[in-house]
Amino acid sequence: HESGIVYFCINASAKCVGLCCTPKQIVVIMRLLKAFTFSFLVLNVCSEFMYIFFVTFMDVEDQQTKSEGAVRDSIIRLYGIALAVIAAAIELDIEMFSRKYFSGLKPYIPRSFLLFFIATISHAHRYDVGDNEQKGQQNDDYIYDDDTTSGAVPGSAVVFDIVTSMVLYVCSVSY
């Protein structure tokens, strides 16, 4: 069918890409994107482990916040670690793993949705219990900085976690 608006849009976009890049350049760009994505998936796993270690095990000063939000946050982060390991195996094209169990995630669009989901759940923040008038309510606008976190949670671990999840978001959009 060589008529219609869908054919025209596909043909126009293919011609625009063909004018800008050769097929070899597109292959090189996609390989660089895979390498960059794999690197930040590994960094994301490291940042998740750091965050769990510092927040769950080292932050013993605020027991009320720990009991209300740290367990939920740790479970979410453990799911993020598991999905990041799966995504890293898919990025490395481990045949026995990706072809046998997760063959549906090999194409670029499902892979980008998986990366977007990983970036979303790894960007979760702790449940914050504020003053008496806000007690028991979740503060969604809570932003970590050196003044508001306790002494046991370094701000660099939080920033490292935020940066890796944002870069994974950019990778998912660029797929």
Side-chain angles (χ1 to χ4, degrees):
H1 230 295
E2 294 186 10
S3 62
I5 190 74
V6 175
Y7 172 77
F8 176 75
C9 291
I10 292 172
N11 196 15
S13 63
K15 284 182 182 178
C16 289
V17 171
L19 291 174
C20 299
C21 302
T22 64
K24 286 184 180 182
Q25 290 173 335
I26 293 173
V27 168
V28 168
I29 289 170
M30 293 309 288
R31 286 184 181 167
L32 287 173
L33 181 62
K34 280 182 79 168
F36 191 70
T37 303
F38 174 74
S39 301
F40 273 91
L41 280 168
V42 170
L43 288 174
N44 188 8
V45 169
C46 293
S47 73
E48 295 292 331
F49 277 127
M50 282 177 51
Y51 195 89
I52 288 173
F53 176 74
F54 284 123
V55 172
T56 305
F57 299 118
M58 298 293 288
D59 189 17
V60 293
E61 295 174 9
D62 192 3
Q63 290 297 327
Q64 185 177 11
T65 303
K66 182 180 175 99
S67 65
E68 290 180 2
V71 174
R72 174 196 61 94
D73 191 51
S74 297
I75 291 171
I76 290 172
R77 290 184 185 280
L78 288 174
Y79 280 120
I81 289 169
L83 288 174
V85 168
I86 291 170
I90 290 171
E91 290 294 323
L92 286 179
D93 292 330
I94 298 175
E95 291 296 323
M96 63 174 267
F97 185 75
S98 62
R99 183 182 295 174
K100 188 173 181 181
Y101 299 110
F102 301 104
S103 61
L105 295 174
K106 293 272 302 171
Y108 289 112
I109 292 175
R111 189 183 302 181
S112 77
F113 284 135
L114 176 66
L115 289 175
F116 180 73
F117 186 67
I118 293 168
T120 302
I121 65 174
S122 66
H123 195 72
H125 294 294
R126 283 178 61 191
Y127 181 75
D128 180 42
V129 177
D131 297 332
N132 288 334
E133 67 269 359
Q134 294 180 351
K135 194 158 187 84
Q137 296 177 357
Q138 184 174 356
N139 185 1
D140 290 337
D141 298 328
Y142 184 71
I143 299 173
Y144 285 105
D145 60 9
D146 291 334
D147 298 331
T148 58
T149 57
S150 65
V153 181
S156 60
V158 176
V159 171
F160 182 48
D161 184 58
I162 291 171
V163 168
T164 56
S165 63
M166 292 303 285
V167 171
L168 277 179
Y169 168 73
V170 170
C171 289
S172 73
V173 169
S174 53
Y175 266 116

